[in-house]
Amino acid sequence: MLEITRIRENKNEVIERLTVRNIDAQEKIDTLLKLDEEWRLSKHKMEAIAAEANSLAKSIGQLFKEGKQAEANEAKAKGAALKEEEKMAAEGMNAIADDIQKILYEIPNTPHVSVPTGKLDTDNEVVSESGTIPTVGQNWMPHWELAKKYNLIDFELGVKVTGAGFPFYIGKGARLQRALINFFLDQARDAGYTEIIPPFVVNQASGIGTGQLPDKEGQMYHDAQDDLFLIPTAEVPLTNMYRDVLLKETDFPIKLTGYTPCFRREAGSYGSDVRGLNRLHQFDKVEIVRFEHPSNSYKVLDEMVAYVQGLLTKLGLPYRTLRLCGGDLGFTSALTFDLEVYSAAQDKWLEVSSISNFETFQANRLKLRFKDENGKNQLAHTLNGSALALPRILAALLENNQTEDGITIPAVLVPYTGFDKI
RNA sequence: GGAGAAUUGGCAGAGUGGUCGAAUGCGGCAGUCUUGAAAACUGUUGUACCGCAAGGUACCGGGGGUUCGAAUCCCUCAUUCUCCGCCA
């Protein structure tokens, strides 16, 4: 959520930034500022009435104390009338405030100046490509066939027990999965991140804090009985740890990592890219989250990108780095880099990480602030990134490392798997 | 799941209808004293919003209500503790 004061003071800049997302926010923001003005007027009116009622109430107490019954009763009648007036004024004010809130929830974050214009994912800027693309062998199979051949993952069993998109990992498939999780967590720990095991379900307030709610509830699994949501990413519980927290400047940097399963309804997804591990309703992911001083956050974003790139290099996967264009940028993000690995047998780039700076967009909702050197409270910057999402990593590992006599496990993983070949 | 008790400022803790944004202690900050520090003493010390300002409004777990007036009374929800039940 953008800060209303910022919109008030830099209206044109905000509108101009939002055009990068192909959004014409002019009208919405005009409406917003008009409502804002009305709100302030009605607030002023309401508070004036409240002030009068408050001082009257005080004087009534005094009158009673002095035994002036008649005067007191007269004042009481007046107070009752004032109270009625105050109630009406407050209702008017709150109605306007609700409208303002609603519009604010609808406005996405302003893209960073480096975000390229563009509408589709094909307009994303390829920043770099690294690693060697393997030459596809004669009988190379896509990962879902490999998974079947070596009995690593059973998709049909998942359909029977739960539904499409909930696979079973079996034997070496399961162990490889667990190895990846441990490898990623150990790497994050070595990079100074504190490991967290958070709850896998969150309440509504947390969903609002990180921007999944309102509006995107269709993407999350919801337990209506207790009004709880299955997390779509560890970002939600990890970031909400610091909801309503006032930090000291010396608390920075705050670096968290956590492994969680992620649950996504993926309503509206279809077609060939849901095949196999490419898109699941439940998948495993290790996430890194950071809270930073605003002056430092873009440097940190670069550092996070470099860190995740390092993971892919260690796994020996060819990857490319994309700077997302305005049209592809997530609602809450100001700047996002996506990392995609090349999955040879599918001949596809698969997104395995998304690393974003949200600036104050989430912090504003979270009320995540710090006391600056002047003793003033200001909003912190939040950042996060996948490090890494497992299924597509697994897909690329299986596809790229297949040989005539099995699948080769990258050397860095062998201590974790306990086997070097499938 | 049942019964009872509790929830106040960074922490501890007082406050059962009017002068309470809230005593007191600790902690924090500034100062006096000191070569320096400690101790002692003095002062100061929540957040948000509106306003150029003066100032105003709101907040004593959340929400609602009674009243001219609520930290204080009522309802409701949440959380914590104790006892009982159930259970990995």
Side-chain angles (χ1 to χ4, degrees):
Chain A
M1 185 165 70
L2 296 177
E3 293 145 90
I4 183 84
T5 48
R6 179 180 163 206
I7 299 176
R8 224 183 264 154
E9 285 160 21
N10 307 289
K11 175 185 156 185
N12 292 328
E13 188 237 334
V14 170
I15 291 171
E16 190 268 320
R17 289 277 84 224
L18 288 171
T19 60
V20 176
R21 289 183 184 266
N22 314 303
I23 290 173
D24 181 6
Q26 181 82 49
E27 202 177 314
K28 195 165 263 186
I29 284 181
D30 282 342
T31 309
L32 181 72
L33 291 179
K34 201 170 137 239
L35 284 170
D36 181 50
E37 203 154 307
E38 280 175 34
W39 175 77
R40 276 182 290 170
L41 273 173
S42 74
K43 181 182 167 73
H44 188 79
K45 189 173 140 202
M46 194 279 268
E47 288 186 351
I49 297 167
E52 196 185 341
N54 284 348
S55 75
L56 185 70
K58 268 182 194 168
S59 69
I60 290 171
Q62 196 56 39
L63 288 173
F64 272 124
K65 202 164 277 178
E66 292 165 7
K68 297 175 180 166
Q69 283 293 339
E71 282 176 57
N73 284 330
E74 202 177 305
K76 267 172 78 166
K78 197 176 161 200
L82 270 176
K83 199 212 163 178
E84 200 52 41
E85 224 183 301
E86 182 187 337
K87 201 173 169 184
M88 301 257 295
E91 273 169 18
M93 185 185 87
N94 289 333
I96 298 171
D98 286 350
D99 290 345
I100 290 172
Q101 186 62 256
K102 215 178 129 221
I103 295 177
L104 279 175
Y105 277 147
E106 288 169 1
I107 301 174
N109 203 354
T110 49
H112 185 256
V113 286
S114 70
V115 171
T117 51
K119 289 202 162 67
L120 304 168
D121 54 4
T122 46
D123 296 321
N124 293 334
E125 176 196 324
V126 179
V127 180
S128 65
E129 273 187 44
S130 314
T132 320
I133 305 238
T135 322
V136 177
Q138 189 90 101
N139 300 313
W140 275 28
M141 302 175 186
H143 67 268
W144 52 87
E145 285 177 24
L146 293 166
K148 190 159 199 162
K149 179 177 173 189
Y150 296 105
N151 193 27
L152 303 173
I153 304 168
D154 195 328
F155 293 96
E156 287 78 21
L157 193 56
V159 171
K160 180 178 94 174
V161 173
T162 305
F166 293 92
F168 278 77
Y169 299 84
I170 293 166
K172 282 186 172 175
R175 287 167 64 189
L176 180 53
Q177 187 82 353
R178 183 156 56 86
L180 282 164
I181 293 167
N182 285 334
F183 171 65
F184 291 146
L185 285 173
D186 284 355
Q187 291 286 310
R189 177 201 57 206
D190 292 348
Y193 291 86
T194 303
E195 183 176 341
I196 308 286
I197 300 179
F200 301 160
V201 290
V202 293
N203 58 28
Q204 209 170 40
S206 295
I208 290 170
T210 30
Q212 282 71 26
L213 299 174
D215 283 357
K216 286 179 252 331
E217 43 273 274
Q219 290 299 323
M220 289 192 285
Y221 289 96
H222 181 222
D223 165 24
Q225 199 159 15
D226 294 309
D227 196 19
L228 295 172
F229 297 85
L230 267 64
I231 55 170
T233 160
E235 164 193 350
V236 180
L238 292 190
T239 308
N240 274 283
M241 286 168 70
Y242 284 80
R243 171 151 49 84
D244 294 317
V245 168
L246 182 63
L247 296 165
K248 295 189 283 288
E249 235 173 305
T250 49
D251 291 333
F252 296 126
I254 293 175
K255 306 169 74 173
L256 307 174
T257 186
Y259 152 74
T260 70
C262 302
F263 303 91
R264 299 188 181 179
R265 295 190 63 238
E266 301 291 357
S269 298
Y270 59 90
S272 64
D273 52 299
V274 305
R275 198 84 195 265
L277 292 169
N278 290 354
R279 191 177 295 279
L280 299 172
H281 287 305
Q282 179 187 320
F283 64 95
D284 295 307
K285 180 158 64 66
V286 172
E287 185 81 0
I288 51 176
V289 171
R290 299 188 61 154
F291 307 120
E292 292 291 338
H293 192 284
S295 66
N296 199 34
S297 68
Y298 278 96
K299 203 180 119 205
V300 166
L301 181 63
D302 289 340
E303 186 191 301
M304 290 167 76
V305 170
Y307 167 74
V308 182
Q309 287 173 335
L311 295 178
L312 294 172
T313 302
K314 285 176 188 170
L315 289 172
L317 292 169
Y319 66 90
R320 63 181 188 182
T321 305
L322 305 176
R323 187 192 296 267
L324 293 196
C325 73
D328 209 24
L329 196 63
F331 187 82
T332 52
S333 175
L335 176 60
T336 296
F337 291 98
D338 271 8
L339 301 188
E340 297 182 335
V341 297
Y342 181 74
S343 204
Q346 295 186 74
D347 185 24
K348 260 189 184 159
W349 292 97
L350 302 177
E351 180 194 331
V352 291
S353 180
S354 198
I355 305 151
S356 305
N357 188 352
F358 305 97
E359 299 187 354
T360 59
F361 195 86
Q362 289 183 329
N364 189 29
R365 290 194 183 187
L366 293 160
K367 291 201 173 55
L368 166 48
R369 297 166 302 166
F370 67 97
K371 210 172 262 303
D372 68 19
E373 52 188 357
N374 303 316
K376 271 201 73 174
N377 295 340
Q378 52 169 306
L379 295 170
H381 280 194
T382 64
L383 305 94
N384 67 49
S386 346
L388 252 0
L390 289 246
R392 294 175 188 161
I393 292 288
L394 190 59
L397 282 179
L398 296 180
E399 293 186 15
N400 295 8
N401 296 341
Q402 56 185 302
T403 67
E404 287 301 316
D405 53 335
I407 294 160
T408 315
I409 304 297
V412 287
L413 287 181
V414 174
Y416 292 92
T417 53
F419 53 84
D420 59 5
K421 202 142 199 105
I422 291 174

